[in-house]
């Protein structure tokens, strides 16, 4: 992976801030990301080589022939990343749709997503790559976010040795967990929301 190129959508989110650091400082990749102009200096300090302002710039005209795309907000970026005339990914590249990560909700409380569009893209890319692997369409995979002790220990080790840093937008005490959810649903959180469980004897 060293020297390869990755585009990480929504780089200022919880997954994005970790992904930028891991791709740059552990894997040695060239890292581009989408974010607001205001967050560009912060993300470059984390390790991003290129920050694309999603409000004023079209990433499909800037990013070309990348090896991988990490997408935590498929409802915004997937269709454009994988559209027929897109050159964002190499034909043998890899699109990773990160499920249940950085999200927004609709007015009915449901998570915003591309829905059947993602299912169609997954089926189409899987079928084509069975017949013509790496020749026509990039690989497509869903990545489900779930607890994993070994991976969490790896992250802790990287934090301990300074390879990466934790990015916390705001910390809430456990009784204020509803406020934490409300903050998350506002959008534009930088990094993660943390919940602190404070025992009576710690106060």
């Amino acid at each position: 992976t060293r020297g390869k190129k990755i585009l990480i959508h929504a780089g200022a989110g919880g997954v994005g801030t970790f992904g930028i650091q891991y791709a740059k400082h552990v894997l040695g990749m060239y890292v581009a990301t989408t974010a607001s102009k205001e967050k560009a200096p912060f993300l470059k300090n984390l390790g991003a080589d290129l920050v694309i302002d999603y409000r004023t710039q079209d990433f499909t005209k800037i990013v070309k022939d990348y090896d991988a795309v990490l997408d935590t907000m498929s409802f915004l970026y997937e269709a454009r990343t994988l559209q027929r005339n897109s050159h964002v990914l190499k034909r043998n590249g890899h699109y990773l749709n990160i499920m249940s990560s950085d999200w927004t909700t609709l007015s009915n409380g449901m998570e915003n997503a591309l829905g059947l569009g993602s299912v169609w893209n997954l089926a189409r890319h899987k079928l084509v790559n069975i017949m013509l692997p790496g020749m026509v369409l990039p690989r497509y995979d869903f990545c489900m976010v779930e607890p994993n002790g070994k991976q969490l220990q790896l992250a802790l080790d990287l934090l301990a040795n300074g390879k990466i840093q934790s990015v916390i937008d705001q910390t809430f005490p456990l009784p204020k967990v509803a406020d934490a959810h409300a903050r998350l649903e506002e959008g534009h959180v930088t990094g993660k929301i943390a919940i602190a469980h404070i025992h009576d004897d710690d106060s």
Side-chain angles (χ1 to χ4, degrees):
T1 56
R2 189 164 296 277
K4 292 187 176 183
K5 294 183 176 182
I6 185 170
L7 169 63
I8 298 175
H9 284 307
V15 175
T17 51
F18 178 86
I20 288 169
Q21 295 179 83
Y22 189 84
K24 186 65 177 182
H25 303 305
V26 179
L27 301 180
M29 302 180 79
Y30 178 92
V31 181
T33 189
T34 53
S36 66
K37 179 181 179 180
E38 294 79 11
K39 294 183 179 180
F42 171 72
L43 296 178
K44 287 185 176 180
N45 186 58
L46 287 182
D49 297 286
L50 173 66
V51 180
I52 301 164
D53 185 351
Y54 72 91
R55 293 170 177 156
T56 62
Q57 296 177 290
D58 183 352
F59 72 91
T60 66
K61 296 180 179 178
I62 299 171
V63 174
K64 183 177 181 181
D65 293 335
Y66 272 49
D67 299 282
V69 171
L70 187 71
D71 192 353
T72 65
M73 300 183 74
S74 60
F75 64 94
L76 285 179
Y77 299 113
E78 180 178 347
R80 287 181 288 162
T81 300
L82 300 177
Q83 63 188 342
R84 186 176 297 276
N85 61 346
S86 172
H87 298 285
V88 172
L89 278 165
K90 295 178 178 178
R91 290 183 178 180
N92 63 345
H94 195 182
Y95 174 83
L96 290 163
N97 186 340
I98 311 300
M99 306 295 290
S100 299
S101 51
D102 296 341
W103 50 274
T104 60
T105 54
L106 301 171
S107 58
N108 61 4
M110 296 295 291
E111 182 176 343
N112 202 350
L114 193 59
L116 290 177
S118 291
V119 176
W120 165 246
N121 283 330
L122 174 66
R124 182 168 63 98
H125 284 248
K126 290 288 187 185
L127 181 59
V128 169
N129 276 292
I130 288 173
M131 298 184 293
L132 299 168
M135 297 176 63
V136 179
L137 294 175
R139 288 172 54 197
Y140 184 116
D141 283 301
F142 284 123
C143 291
M144 303 300 293
V145 178
E146 57 185 3
N148 184 302
K150 290 183 179 180
Q151 292 179 358
L152 288 172
Q153 187 58 57
L154 171 63
L156 288 172
D157 292 342
L158 292 171
L159 282 165
N161 64 30
K163 283 278 188 179
I164 63 171
Q165 58 179 291
S166 59
V167 180
I168 304 299
D169 181 274
Q170 196 170 347
T171 301
F172 292 84
L174 187 59
K176 298 288 186 179
V177 68
D179 293 339
H181 277 283
R183 172 70 184 100
L184 186 63
E185 290 172 8
E186 289 174 3
H188 305 291
V189 170
T190 300
K192 285 291 189 182
I193 297 291
I195 304 298
H197 185 193
I198 302 174
H199 296 282
D200 292 339
D201 55 2
D202 294 333
S203 56

